[in-house]
Amino acid sequence: MKTLYLDCSMGASGDLLTAALLALFPEREAGLAELNGLGVPGVEFRAGEKEQYGLTGLHVTVLVHGLDEEELASGSESVYSHEHTHEHHHDHDHEHTHSHVHHGLEDIRAILAGLNAPERVKANAAAVYALIAAAESK
């Protein structure tokens, strides 16, 4: 068994961590097909090389109902079935509206249960989300 150590002392976003792990696959397309084969509802993973600040590396884009993170953050129209719109008031004269979805722990457990993954993987993922929920409730 091989051991992989990750130094996340400066944090790790999901797309960066996914790209780092995907880069370990000898055949990247096979790894990408595995990710997309999990069956996460409305989610598609794409990967490609990206240059930024003079560095080139693997970049993973996660599309949710066809929208990437920047489009979702900008408040683009969403096709979520449980959409919430929040108005944020600031010290200036206009309002910002953001559309996004909130999933409770039971929603997440249902999504995990429907994934095309081994039961042990689904159970581990559910345990991680339970820990996150417990930490956030404090």
Side-chain angles (χ1 to χ4, degrees), residues 15-26:
D15 58 343
L16 291 176
L17 184 56
T18 302
L21 295 173
L22 187 58
L24 296 174
F25 275 76

Side-chain angles (χ1 to χ4, degrees), residues 112-135:
L112 292 172
L115 294 182
N116 181 24
E119 291 303 317
R120 181 175 173 211
V121 170
K122 293 190 271 189
N124 286 340
V128 168
Y129 276 101
L131 288 171
I132 292 169

Side-chain angles (χ1 to χ4, degrees), residues 98-114:
H98 305 276
S99 297
H100 57 275
V101 73
H102 295 274
H103 287 292
L105 188 55
E106 291 308 312
D107 298 325
I108 292 169
R109 285 184 177 140
I111 290 169
L112 292 172

Side-chain angles (χ1 to χ4, degrees), residues 30-43:
L32 195 56
E34 249 186 85
L35 280 173
N36 285 313
L38 288 171
V40 182
V43 173

